[in-house]
Amino acid sequence: GNGNGNGNSNLGYEAMSTGGCPVNALIQYYPNVLSTRDKSGNILLHHACNRGNIAVQLIATMIDTSIRNNLHIGDCANDHIGDNCDGNINAHGGIMTTNRHNRTPLQNLCRSIDKKNNHMALEKILCCYQKCPNIPILHSALTSVSQPKYFKVLIEFLENNVGVTYKHIRDFRNKGLLEAAIGNACIDVNNSKQKQQLQHARGIIQILLHWSYDVLETSTKCNDGDAEMCEVMKVSHYRDEKKRLPIHYACELGLSFHGGLEDIVKSNSSALEDTDEVTGLLPFMLAAAAFTSAHTCVIYQLLRRNPNQIQTLRQR
């Protein structure tokens, strides 16, 4: 096959359709098949993670082989495929490699949690984590799961099997989990599909907020008195490298009050008096600057819940 991988990748897909043994043999003798792409920019791992009948051990073999052989993806820079496609996949074994639709094999696994074989999908995700502990599993699942309840299934599975650490809260770009969920919820609703997407996004936000208190607050590190860790784990209290809170992003992006902002306010009401380090504005002022169709309602609701914001403004 060539850099685009049409020859080797087709051979890999044919071997995969016949079962695990042919694929294992192919990978052993021709490991480069793992870094080749089909016309949609998928590597073999995309397809493996999209099939429920592929064994966990085969996923592990693919990741191990990619890392061991220090594989690179061919001609990806010219194909304009995605952020992770133009370099070395050694760090993550291909599990975070994007195709032309900017989807990764890990996202394919997260999407399959809602299927009948969700237990197998969860075991595969656990396998990926064990091979590459720094991959942002929960970030990948935000838009991949078909319903918020399956996001909760994944959270509970991770809590029970690997615990919770900083790496689950932030992605490769240091973006907080709640911040990412807020971005998905800030959409204009013009049709039933977008309305469904908005309901999905708000459901994710609610799950994240409940998770941070119901699960993380009772974790060992919190009980041991690690106040700083507890504060970070409460996703609505998490500050990014610019010292911004999720409520600052929510108001700036124009998140509607009943579309998730109300839940964020309830989980961290003191943040209403927290000045944004980037703009110097309070949350209600950020909402005013957003100029969304619902910004008047948002401003009213924010001031109604904490009139002291006006006093904070006067004291400047």
Side-chain angles (χ1 to χ4, degrees):
N2 53 27
N4 290 323
N6 291 332
N8 278 343
S9 60
N10 289 338
L11 183 61
Y13 309 143
E14 292 174 6
M16 188 181 300
S17 65
T18 62
C21 292
V23 180
N24 279 321
L26 182 65
I27 292 173
Q28 180 180 356
Y29 290 102
Y30 302 102
N32 285 340
V33 71
L34 293 170
S35 62
T36 57
R37 292 182 179 274
D38 64 11
K39 293 181 180 180
S40 297
N42 297 301
I43 59 174
L44 198 59
L45 195 56
H46 278 97
H47 294 275
C49 291
N50 204 34
R51 297 188 179 190
N53 62 339
I54 298 299
V56 175
Q57 186 54 47
L58 182 55
I59 300 291
T61 299
M62 289 180 168
I63 295 174
D64 285 339
T65 303
S66 296
I67 295 175
R68 185 171 60 252
N69 288 275
N70 197 25
L71 295 180
H72 288 67
I73 301 172
D75 292 345
C76 50
N78 296 327
D79 290 339
H80 304 290
I81 293 175
D83 292 335
N84 293 317
C85 69
D86 60 345
N88 194 345
I89 66 174
N90 180 55
H92 48 71
I95 197 66
M96 293 303 297
T97 298
T98 53
N99 61 14
R100 289 188 182 277
H101 301 289
N102 207 34
R103 294 194 64 84
T104 67
L106 180 57
Q107 287 176 311
N108 285 350
L109 285 179
C110 293
R111 183 174 56 189
S112 64
I113 293 174
D114 59 344
K115 297 179 180 179
K116 292 181 179 179
N117 62 338
N118 66 343
H119 177 73
M120 180 67 74
L122 291 170
E123 290 299 327
K124 291 176 182 177
I125 291 174
L126 178 60
C127 169
C128 294
Y129 171 83
Q130 291 170 337
K131 300 295 180 182
C132 309
N134 292 323
I135 56 176
I137 297 176
L138 294 179
H139 284 77
S140 297
L142 284 175
T143 56
S144 301
V145 294
S146 62
Q147 296 180 41
K149 64 180 180 181
Y150 296 118
F151 186 77
K152 185 177 181 180
V153 168
L154 177 58
I155 285 178
E156 292 174 346
F157 179 80
L158 290 176
E159 173 65 17
N160 292 332
N161 288 276
V162 300
V164 179
T165 67
Y166 283 102
K167 62 176 69 71
H168 297 124
I169 305 298
R170 298 179 289 183
D171 65 5
F172 291 144
R173 295 178 178 84
N174 205 35
K175 179 180 287 188
L177 194 56
L178 183 56
E179 177 193 340
I182 289 169
N184 295 333
C186 294
I187 60 174
D188 294 326
V189 180
N190 299 315
N191 53 52
S192 58
K193 183 178 180 180
Q194 290 174 328
K195 184 177 181 180
Q196 185 178 8
Q197 290 176 338
L198 185 61
Q199 292 173 339
H200 175 102
R202 187 189 181 185
I204 294 291
I205 290 174
Q206 291 175 329
I207 287 173
L208 285 174
L209 295 173
H210 291 155
W211 171 54
S212 68
Y213 284 94
D214 296 343
V215 178
L216 297 178
E217 197 171 43
T218 60
S219 69
T220 302
K221 290 184 178 178
C222 285
N223 291 334
D224 288 345
D226 191 337
E228 182 179 355
M229 173 67 81
C230 266
E231 199 71 2
V232 170
M233 288 305 193
K234 295 175 183 177
V235 290
S236 60
H237 294 68
Y238 173 75
R239 294 182 186 272
D240 66 7
E241 69 278 4
K242 297 179 181 178
K243 306 300 182 184
R244 304 187 91 189
L245 290 167
I247 195 171
H248 295 136
Y249 286 99
C251 292
E252 183 179 61
L253 293 175
L255 182 65
S256 68
F257 191 74
H258 298 298
L261 182 57
E262 180 180 15
D263 304 301
I264 295 172
V265 171
K266 286 180 179 178
S267 69
N268 188 9
S269 58
S270 63
L272 289 172
E273 297 183 57
D274 193 286
T275 301
D276 177 20
E277 293 287 340
V278 175
T279 63
L281 301 177
L282 291 168
F284 84 91
M285 300 167 70
L286 288 168
F291 289 108
T292 65
S293 58
H295 77 282
T296 303
C297 171
V298 171
I299 296 169
Y300 167 73
Q301 293 290 353
L302 294 179
L303 289 174
R304 177 172 172 266
R305 275 159 176 73
N306 190 344
N308 290 335
Q309 295 173 81
I310 301 299
Q311 185 65 26
T312 301
L313 193 60
R314 290 174 177 172
Q315 292 174 352
R316 290 187 174 185

